[in-house]
Amino acid sequence: MQYIFIDSNKKIGGIEKLFIDMALYLNQMGEEVYFLVEYEDSIYYRYLGQLENVHFIIRNSNIAIKFLSNKEIKNEKQYILNKLDTSKNYVVIAAYFKTFQQALAFFGSEKNFKLIHYWAHPQSWALELFTKKNIITKRKENICYNYQRKLLQELDRRNADIRGSETGAIYNNWFYNLQIDRENVIPLPIKKLKIATKESNTPNIENNKKKILWCGRFTYFKNEAIIHIHKTLEKIAVEHKNLKLEYHIIGFGNSKNTTFVKKSIIPNKVKVIYHGMVNH
């Protein structure tokens, strides 16, 4: 089996780390891995460029699919397929709406290419409808919105292979007014967790000190979650007066986002510790 990852980024984030880890694992298993990218110096080349079984296909054009004509898409598709052995079977993995469009345009009609879409962030489709980087709290219905809604309906009807978390289905059901079964969204293959049994994991919440960890960047689509978690912990601390809570935050961002988070989190009952950037 051959694997194709579609993504271009110069910075590393959660989905980039996931793709790099997956590519390293597949490489160790002797599988052939391809990255379809828009430029040479992507984060993937820096981490994986020296591996024998990892190959890079640089697109002829870095223009988004929605701005290309049918003829340009056809030419780009042929250019990419010429660099692959199309007699073999491929799994194509795309994380965002833009890259998923590329997967559909270049490989969707090819019978030996299986497409997998990762819902990297629940709102990643909705963000395509906005020009400013804001948390999406209301619908913006236009041609693109209707296209996305019909596409999600069709993917659900055909039992498409969508991976991520069930929050992706919950959010998009609300945003696009759909009824996608969240149980059909397959969890991301990160690690197998050892789940403690109920009998061995029954702490007395009134007599315990608990540490809660957040790990992630300070950025416009994550800041609200960081802040909301703290508000929730403060409510829990008020309800359980003997419970000592610590909120540990591993994360970093530009000065604007960092200042916003720290000004929005006002510690009261919960001790808040900022660890900044921590290497993993």
Side-chain angles (χ1 to χ4, degrees), residues 15-235:
I15 202 67
E16 291 78 20
K17 181 67 167 62
L18 175 64
F19 279 9
I20 290 169
D21 286 348
M22 291 173 68
L24 287 171
Y25 174 79
L26 292 169
N27 179 70
Q28 291 173 359
M29 298 296 291
E31 304 286 0
E32 294 289 327
V33 176
Y34 294 83
F35 278 86
L36 179 58
V37 296
E38 296 177 355
Y39 36 76
E40 291 183 3
D41 59 338
S42 70
I43 189 69
Y44 302 107
Y45 188 80
R46 276 180 267 166
Y47 278 83
L48 306 167
Q50 305 305 314
L51 299 180
E52 183 178 354
N53 291 336
V54 179
H55 316 282
F56 291 83
I57 301 174
I58 303 173
R59 282 187 53 194
N60 263 334
S61 171
N62 59 6
I63 299 174
I65 289 293
K66 63 182 180 181
F67 296 121
L68 295 179
S69 66
N70 289 337
K71 182 179 180 180
E72 289 171 324
I73 292 174
K74 182 179 179 180
N75 290 339
E76 185 83 359
K77 174 180 177 178
Q78 193 57 53
Y79 164 79
I80 294 167
L81 292 178
N82 286 342
K83 295 183 177 294
L84 301 170
D85 183 350
T86 53
S87 66
K88 296 181 179 180
N89 293 320
Y90 292 84
V91 173
V92 182
I93 303 168
Y96 302 102
F97 180 70
K98 287 182 179 179
T99 54
F100 185 51
Q101 280 191 306
Q102 290 183 41
L104 289 172
F106 301 144
F107 310 111
S109 61
E110 303 298 313
K111 62 181 180 179
N112 53 334
F113 287 76
K114 174 181 173 58
L115 276 54
I116 295 178
H117 176 49
Y118 280 149
W119 246 332
H121 300 293
Q123 75 280 19
S124 63
W125 283 43
L127 285 174
E128 295 298 316
L129 307 175
F130 291 76
T131 56
K132 295 182 179 179
K133 293 182 176 181
N134 293 313
I135 297 297
I136 308 305
T137 57
K138 61 181 181 180
R139 299 176 183 86
K140 183 175 181 180
E141 298 186 20
N142 53 23
I143 293 174
C144 185
Y145 172 92
N146 291 325
Y147 164 74
Q148 289 179 331
R149 186 175 188 277
K150 289 179 180 178
L151 180 56
L152 280 172
Q153 283 180 310
E154 187 64 14
L155 291 171
D156 186 49
R157 186 182 70 82
R158 297 192 182 193
N159 296 317
D161 195 348
I162 299 177
R163 297 173 184 253
S165 70
E166 65 179 53
T167 55
I170 294 169
Y171 176 87
N172 287 280
N173 279 342
W174 165 76
F175 191 81
Y176 295 100
N177 192 24
L178 296 173
Q179 293 182 342
I180 298 171
D181 188 348
R182 55 183 166 178
E183 293 186 359
N184 289 339
V185 180
I186 305 168
L188 292 177
I190 298 174
K191 284 184 179 180
K192 291 184 177 179
L193 301 177
K194 292 183 178 179
I195 307 299
T197 63
K198 186 175 181 180
E199 291 74 15
S200 63
N201 186 28
T202 55
N204 183 350
I205 195 169
E206 293 294 342
N207 295 284
N208 275 276
K209 179 180 179 180
K210 297 296 179 184
K211 297 179 180 180
I212 294 85
L213 174 66
W214 163 274
C215 185
R217 291 172 292 154
F218 297 162
T219 186
Y220 70 97
F221 58 86
K222 295 186 178 183
N223 292 343
E224 299 296 335
I226 301 170
I227 296 163
H228 182 74
I229 290 171
H230 173 257
K231 290 179 179 178
T232 302
L233 293 176
E234 290 286 357
K235 291 179 181 179

Side-chain angles (χ1 to χ4, degrees), residues 250-269:
I250 296 176
F252 64 98
N254 61 31
S255 58
K256 180 181 177 181
N257 284 311
T258 301
T259 300
F260 175 74
V261 170
K262 290 187 175 182
K263 282 188 174 181
S264 301
I265 292 179
I266 303 174
N268 184 17
K269 302 290 186 182

